[in-house]
Amino acid sequence: MDEQNRDNGPKITKSIINAPTNPMVTPLLTDLYQFTMAYAYWKAGKHNERAVFDLFFRRNPFGGEFTVFAGVEECIRYIANFKFTEAEIDFVRDAMPGKCEEGFFDYLRQLDCSEVEVYSIPEGSIVFPRIPLLRVEGPVGVAQLLETTLVNLVNFASLVATNAARHRIVAGKSKMLLEFGLRRAQGPDGGISASKYCYLGGFDATSNVSAGRLFGIPLKGTHSHAFVSSFMSLDEILEKSLRSADGSTLCEDFVNLVQTWLNKIQRTKFYGGFGETNLSELAAFTSYALAFPENFLALVDTYDVLRSGVPNFCAVALALKDLGYKAMGIRLDSGDLAYLSCEARKFFQAIESEFGVTGFGNTTITASNDLNEETLDHLNKQGHEVDAFGIGTYLVTCYAQAALGCVFKLVEINNQPRMKLSEDVSKVSIPCKKRCYRLYGKEGYPLVDLMVGENEPAPKVAERILCRHPFNESKRAYVVPQRVEELLKCYWSGSSDKMREDMLPLKDIRDRCIRQLEQMRPDHMRRLNPTPYKVSVSAKLYDFIHFLWLNEAPVGELQ
């Protein structure tokens, strides 16, 4: 939605930031209790008190020990364009569980994020539990209204980007990964978001045309089984001519050229025993090649991969080769992918040897059919010849885990640290405004992420620092960092004059993700039994956490 379509545009004029990609991302995309709390804050005169909230998660997804952080740009777009329309205020008035004073709606009417500051870890970074991904500072009323939307924008984005990165790690750097999940995604926005963040997480292309337009993601796709089975015979091909790739000659009967090559293939020694191919499939391949001679990729499993699909593809590919074109390859969408890919590779290599077609043995083999991380791992162990994987359902739905579990916790109000306690230690929050650092060791790998109080000195290179587990007294270690990186950077400065980070193009964010994955120690990234990455606090912050814990926790009385 263009910002002029909103009744009241944002007051912030530092620079124009586009509206959220999804027009449903408005101030109403939140939970009702955010409005009831906002009214209670306003009624108590607390709505303008300065608060600090941390957005973080407690556990890495998919049984792993890393997460890819995504969704920052959409969060900033939302914050920059945060403004209620009159229609939205009217709806809130009717939706509130009780009658509210009209002054509250006047408050909502003038509300924006000009007094809010947002600090974030850069999008595409590798992140870990408890470290604040976003720190939101501002009047408690508006900051509270941001909570649900920010969590929503980060949660799925980070989950699916992490899922994509895990698939990339298993597949290896050399394989092409294609996201084919739109038809199985949870609704239109699930499909669009998945395409964007799968690309961020290391995928190479998508079949989603809308995502390609919105985000500049490369598009890939061929035909379906319906196209193959829609042909009955070669007689259906009415326009048979095809001009050569350089435009110098015209082949008046490309169909005959394809049939000639099929006959040659069928007379070779390596073809013996395969029998006749399905000629309606041959007609479909030939027709598709006539339509897209520079991008001919055939789905070869409609009838029989080895007895029909692969030989028919080769006949069409060799006919294209005669006219100066290079066929792109085949796609396998069913069956034993390891076995079929190996047999298809042997067939291509035999064609290269028999007819002297240089490079034909390296013809690209793409595999699809409900692939997931585990399937890729099994294929690697079995041995396969697949060059590219088209992955859909298990990738975009994050089938292995429903949600990342991000939370948004108040850690400070009016400069007073606040802390949420729980009998479940994993749910105890770390109080106060914090600065976060990544400490690197001698081999260049990150060793630990460290949180310190806002006013503590930053850790220094080559200077020993005590890093402590936030809650476990015995877990502590000295670290002498060889490099120190501050994690949180200002991405929205409101009306202040603070410099803020630029939003990078999606391709650059993807490059950051891939680069950071390569920088991590391999044992943190492995699929089975990964080594937990250390997240720590300074000794001073550790002491303060436990001091505040004791002060806030009620003291029991035994009788």
Side-chain angles (χ1 to χ4, degrees):
M1 180 185 289
D2 294 332
E3 52 188 81
Q4 58 261 37
N5 291 338
R6 305 276 294 159
D7 291 352
N8 296 299
K11 295 179 181 178
I12 298 151
T13 57
K14 277 187 170 186
S15 61
I16 295 174
I17 294 178
N18 291 333
T21 300
N22 187 335
M24 289 189 293
V25 179
T26 73
L28 294 194
L29 187 69
T30 190
D31 295 304
L32 178 61
Y33 79 172
Q34 307 293 8
F35 283 105
T36 59
M37 284 192 290
Y39 179 69
Y41 284 135
W42 179 85
K43 183 77 172 169
K46 288 177 61 70
H47 56 291
N48 285 324
E49 292 183 4
R50 192 77 180 174
V52 179
F53 288 87
D54 285 349
L55 188 154
F56 60 96
F57 62 94
R58 298 185 177 109
R59 183 177 299 172
N60 288 304
F62 309 116
E65 286 296 338
F66 75 94
T67 300
V68 176
F69 179 37
V72 178
E73 180 181 357
E74 293 299 330
C75 289
I76 301 305
R77 286 183 175 213
Y78 169 63
I79 287 168
N81 293 275
F82 184 92
K83 192 69 181 173
F84 287 94
T85 67
E86 283 300 321
E88 289 167 344
I89 289 173
D90 289 343
F91 183 84
V92 172
R93 182 187 288 108
D94 294 339
M96 293 295 273
K99 184 173 177 60
C100 299
E101 295 178 29
E102 193 57 32
F104 173 67
F105 302 105
D106 292 335
Y107 161 69
L108 293 183
R109 193 171 282 112
Q110 55 79 38
L111 200 61
D112 61 22
C113 289
S114 58
E115 298 304 314
V116 172
E117 295 176 17
V118 178
Y119 297 80
S120 174
I121 296 176
E123 189 159 14
S125 297
I126 306 305
V127 293
F128 303 97
R130 296 196 172 277
I131 295 290
L133 308 177
L134 292 176
R135 186 177 76 220
V136 178
E137 304 177 26
V140 68
V142 65
Q144 193 75 70
L145 287 170
L146 297 175
E147 174 183 358
T148 300
T149 316
L150 297 182
V151 171
N152 177 273
L153 292 172
V154 166
N155 202 346
F156 179 69
S158 300
L159 188 71
V160 76
T162 306
N163 202 17
R166 291 177 64 87
H167 282 75
R168 167 54 71 193
I169 291 169
V170 176
K173 297 178 185 178
S174 65
K175 303 301 181 185
M176 179 169 282
L177 293 181
L178 314 172
E179 179 268 309
F180 285 173
L182 178 59
R183 64 182 59 196
R184 305 287 174 79
Q186 282 105 334
D189 187 62
I192 293 291
S193 296
S195 295
K196 177 180 182 179
Y197 296 117
C198 285
Y199 181 68
L200 185 157
F203 271 58
D204 297 291
T206 180
S207 64
N208 186 337
V209 178
S210 183
R213 181 184 72 85
L214 286 169
F215 310 121
I217 304 171
L219 291 171
K220 293 288 184 181
T222 177
H223 56 79
S224 71
H225 295 106
F227 182 82
V228 177
S229 57
S230 72
F231 284 81
M232 300 297 290
S233 74
L234 290 162
D235 295 336
E236 295 178 49
I237 303 175
L238 302 180
E239 177 53 59
K240 301 181 180 181
S241 63
L242 180 62
R243 189 164 291 280
S244 62
D246 62 9
S248 62
T249 60
L250 178 69
C251 174
E252 294 187 354
D253 194 342
F254 183 71
V255 176
N256 183 63
L257 181 58
V258 169
Q259 289 178 300
T260 299
W261 270 111
L262 182 59
N263 289 333
K264 288 181 182 180
I265 292 170
Q266 289 173 332
R267 289 197 297 269
T268 60
K269 291 181 180 178
F270 63 82
Y271 186 81
F274 281 125
E276 294 295 320
T277 66
N278 185 298
L279 294 184
S280 64
E281 179 183 62
L282 183 66
F285 290 177
T286 304
S287 179
Y288 199 81
L290 284 165
F292 299 102
E294 295 179 336
N295 294 280
F296 174 56
L297 192 150
L299 179 60
V300 296
D301 71 330
T302 305
Y303 301 111
D304 189 293
V305 172
L306 299 178
R307 288 184 172 84
S308 184
V310 170
N312 280 340
F313 162 80
C314 290
V316 177
L318 291 168
L320 288 171
K321 176 73 168 56
D322 283 350
L323 299 178
Y325 298 101
K326 178 175 171 55
M328 292 186 66
I330 64 169
R331 176 161 72 97
L332 304 170
D333 192 49
S334 62
D336 186 334
L337 298 178
Y339 170 75
L340 292 173
S341 66
C342 290
E343 292 301 306
R345 179 71 66 211
K346 291 176 186 176
F347 202 99
F348 296 153
Q349 291 169 343
I351 291 284
E352 177 174 349
S353 177
E354 180 73 19
F355 299 112
V357 184
T358 304
F360 200 90
N362 296 323
T363 296
T364 298
I365 299 172
T366 301
S368 48
N369 184 33
D370 281 341
L371 301 178
N372 57 33
E373 182 185 339
E374 188 174 359
T375 309
L376 299 186
D377 187 50
H378 288 329
L379 287 171
N380 289 341
K381 291 172 180 175
Q382 294 168 32
H384 66 87
E385 286 293 332
V386 177
D387 302 294
F389 294 98
I391 307 176
T393 305
Y394 292 94
L395 175 69
V396 303
T397 64
C398 294
Y399 185 86
Q401 180 165 327
L404 178 59
C406 290
V407 294
F408 191 82
K409 297 299 180 185
L410 179 72
V411 296
E412 188 174 289
I413 190 161
N414 292 335
N415 296 315
Q416 297 300 309
R418 306 308 296 149
M419 184 179 189
K420 177 196 177 296
L421 301 183
S422 172
E423 291 183 4
D424 181 353
V425 174
S426 69
K427 292 193 172 185
V428 174
S429 64
I430 298 176
C432 77
K433 188 191 299 187
K434 298 171 286 293
R435 297 171 70 184
C436 304
Y437 299 90
R438 184 158 293 170
L439 311 184
Y440 291 80
K442 288 186 281 189
E443 296 181 345
Y445 295 126
L447 293 176
V448 62
D449 281 8
L450 177 69
M451 291 176 274
V452 306
E454 182 191 24
N455 297 320
E456 287 188 61
K460 296 178 181 178
V461 170
E463 190 172 290
R464 192 168 79 153
I465 182 168
L466 178 61
C467 299
R468 303 202 62 167
H469 187 284
F471 308 118
N472 190 321
E473 187 175 15
S474 65
K475 289 187 176 181
R476 53 188 178 169
Y478 285 106
V479 177
V480 181
Q482 303 304 302
R483 181 160 76 89
V484 175
E485 175 188 5
E486 184 159 11
L487 296 177
L488 290 168
K489 304 178 186 299
C490 182
Y491 277 84
W492 179 254
S493 53
S495 59
S496 75
D497 57 1
K498 293 180 182 176
M499 292 294 294
R500 69 182 189 217
E501 299 291 314
D502 292 331
M503 292 295 170
L504 297 180
L506 181 60
K507 177 67 167 62
D508 292 349
I509 297 172
R510 178 181 184 272
D511 290 344
R512 172 188 286 143
C513 174
I514 293 171
R515 187 169 61 251
Q516 288 210 4
L517 287 169
E518 292 172 347
Q519 288 176 349
M520 295 302 299
R521 214 171 66 196
D523 59 311
H524 294 309
M525 314 304 287
R526 65 191 176 208
R527 186 165 177 270
L528 295 176
N529 300 317
T531 303
Y533 181 82
K534 292 178 176 61
V535 173
S536 300
V537 297
S538 65
K540 187 174 181 180
L541 181 55
Y542 175 89
D543 290 339
F544 180 73
I545 291 169
H546 290 264
F547 167 79
L548 190 62
W549 194 339
L550 290 175
N551 275 359
E552 296 284 352
V555 179
E557 184 171 325
L558 302 178
Q559 295 183 3

